[in-house]
Amino acid sequence: MQTHIPELDKVLELIECHQDTLRAKVLGYIDAKDAALPIHGIEIGSESPHCPTVIFVGGIHGVERIGSQVVIAFLDSILKRLQWDNHFQQLFSQVRVAFLPLANPAGFLNNTRCNGQGIDLMRNAPTDAICPTTWMVGGHRISRHLPWYRGKQGLAPESKMLLSFVSDLIERASLTLSLDAHSGFGLRDHLWFPYAGNIAPYPMLGQTYGLMNLFDQTYPYHAHYQVAPQSHFYTTHGDLWDHLSKQHKRQLFIPLTLEMGSWLWVKKNPRQLFNFAGFFNPQKQHRYERILRRHTVLMNFLIQAAYSSANWLPQGNTLALMNDAAKRLWYPNLKR
């Protein structure tokens, strides 16, 4: 089938070439322009119950192609490395790594942020904000012809597939870390964690602080992500990761959103303003290749951190200290 979606073609190629290494399944099909577009869930590594798990998600917004491309490039790298790297082979015998590389194929086909029904999938979860939301950006049910439309009551098929895929992985894991790759906000790269619809700290605050502190200590010269709750920047209804966090509050689950600072790409190359895709994706080849490399340190770190969580995951008094430090850093005005 000719999809006219290069990212989907690449996913299909990787599945075909590495059938002995990965476990792929079609979560469902999305009808768009007389084509049935598949959404794939891919697992690599351990099949043991209750093993640590890392999930990489891309392509929730169809115009933010670079997010999907970063995830697919990392998947490609892992599959090639597993062919020769004894260390990686041993690592993946103890940890499960999952990919949902193209969550919104109709958005990619149509070159739209939303899905084929005009729904913004990151406003579509059945979770209403419990604080004032950013006007319009926070999600609405006015019309599918306006951006950030939440849809009517009920989940879009793409949202159902993502939530089901991730929930199943969380239920089978001792610890779950996830990274959802986006672009289009700010002059620098951000790492956001829940909540998007609540200004209060979320339950995994101390563990998130411990993870990010470990990253800073291990890679002090990394890309200098700005780490904070999403609510520090804008607040929304219907965030998928808020919904999953609340659904799985009894499990160890730390979801991160990578928001690549595409405004910097525009600043360096103002001609991107004349190209809609340029607001969200690097247009220069050297910059595109740099972005595909830029986040591999973080992504590899998450796999190693999941595998070795017993050595850093805070518990007891250490968790209480981490939680207090996190509140001082991210919630300095919180009454304690």
Side-chain angles (χ1 to χ4, degrees):
M1 178 182 67
Q2 181 64 39
T3 64
H4 304 293
I5 304 175
E7 294 82 2
L8 180 53
D9 292 338
K10 182 63 177 179
V11 171
L12 293 171
E13 175 191 328
L14 292 175
I15 292 172
E16 177 66 24
C17 293
H18 298 278
Q19 295 183 41
D20 294 337
T21 304
L22 54 75
R23 304 180 297 278
K25 61 182 177 181
V26 175
L27 305 180
Y29 290 90
I30 301 299
D31 293 328
K33 294 184 178 179
D34 298 322
L37 305 175
I39 295 180
H40 292 91
I42 297 170
E43 295 183 33
I44 307 172
S46 175
E47 297 185 66
S48 300
H50 308 300
C51 68
T53 298
V54 184
I55 308 168
F56 297 103
V57 176
I60 286 182
H61 292 138
V63 291
E64 300 171 16
R65 308 186 84 99
I66 189 63
S68 182
Q69 291 162 359
V70 164
V71 170
I72 293 169
F74 187 61
L75 170 61
D76 189 12
S77 175
I78 284 178
L79 291 169
K80 288 186 170 70
R81 191 168 172 182
L82 282 169
Q83 294 176 355
W84 61 267
D85 190 327
N86 289 335
H87 164 69
F88 239 46
Q89 293 166 3
Q90 177 61 32
L91 171 65
F92 274 73
S93 71
Q94 302 294 319
V95 67
R96 178 164 43 243
V97 180
F99 293 82
L100 204 168
L102 187 54
N104 180 13
F108 274 60
L109 187 64
N110 299 328
N111 195 32
T112 58
R113 175 184 171 92
C114 58
N115 74 353
Q117 287 69 50
I119 297 171
D120 186 329
L121 300 179
M122 285 309 297
R123 307 292 186 271
N124 183 231
T127 301
D128 292 329
I130 61 174
C131 64
T133 60
T134 307
W135 184 74
M136 289 296 287
V137 174
H140 63 85
R141 301 192 190 277
I142 300 170
S143 169
R144 66 186 296 271
H145 301 291
L146 297 174
W148 307 295
Y149 176 60
R150 298 185 64 189
K152 301 301 182 185
Q153 300 296 329
L155 286 166
E158 299 91 339
S159 299
K160 288 181 181 179
M161 294 177 208
L162 185 151
L163 293 174
S164 177
F165 180 68
V166 174
S167 290
D168 175 65
L169 289 163
I170 294 172
E171 294 290 346
R172 293 189 280 129
S174 57
L175 163 72
T176 307
L177 308 177
S178 70
L179 185 72
D180 177 20
H182 291 255
S183 64
F185 183 90
L187 292 169
R188 62 182 300 182
D189 295 333
H190 296 261
L191 282 174
W192 292 340
F193 57 87
Y195 291 116
N198 188 347
I199 60 174
Y202 90 118
M204 292 292 113
L205 188 65
Q207 292 89 340
T208 303
Y209 181 87
L211 177 67
M212 292 294 94
N213 190 51
L214 181 68
F215 183 54
D216 285 339
Q217 291 177 354
T218 307
Y219 299 102
Y221 306 110
H222 64 74
H224 298 290
Y225 302 95
Q226 184 171 356
V227 183
Q230 183 180 328
S231 60
H232 281 197
F233 301 92
Y234 58 87
T235 53
T236 75
H237 298 292
D239 184 271
L240 295 171
W241 302 107
D242 278 19
H243 181 66
L244 284 162
S245 296
K246 292 173 182 178
Q247 272 194 321
H248 299 283
K249 59 185 177 182
R250 297 185 182 277
Q251 278 95 14
L252 284 170
F253 172 46
I254 303 176
L256 301 172
T257 296
L258 168 61
E259 189 74 32
M260 289 176 270
S262 64
W263 298 355
L264 180 61
W265 311 332
V266 175
K267 180 180 178 181
K268 290 182 176 180
N269 182 24
R271 285 180 293 180
Q272 291 189 199
L273 290 171
F274 300 100
N275 178 356
F276 181 65
F279 284 93
F280 306 97
N281 305 283
Q283 302 295 290
K284 296 284 188 178
Q285 183 64 25
H286 72 278
R287 190 163 295 126
Y288 167 75
E289 293 175 358
R290 185 186 307 143
I291 298 303
L292 295 187
R293 297 191 303 266
R294 181 179 177 87
H295 304 290
T296 54
V297 170
L298 170 66
M299 298 166 90
N300 277 309
F301 165 78
L302 291 175
I303 297 174
Q304 297 282 357
Y307 171 67
S308 303
S309 60
N311 297 328
W312 65 266
L313 193 65
Q315 299 180 20
N317 290 336
T318 302
L319 177 58
L321 291 172
M322 291 283 187
N323 199 53
D324 287 343
K327 288 179 180 177
R328 288 194 298 271
L329 175 63
W330 290 315
Y331 303 91
N333 299 319
L334 184 68
K335 293 182 179 179
R336 292 187 288 271

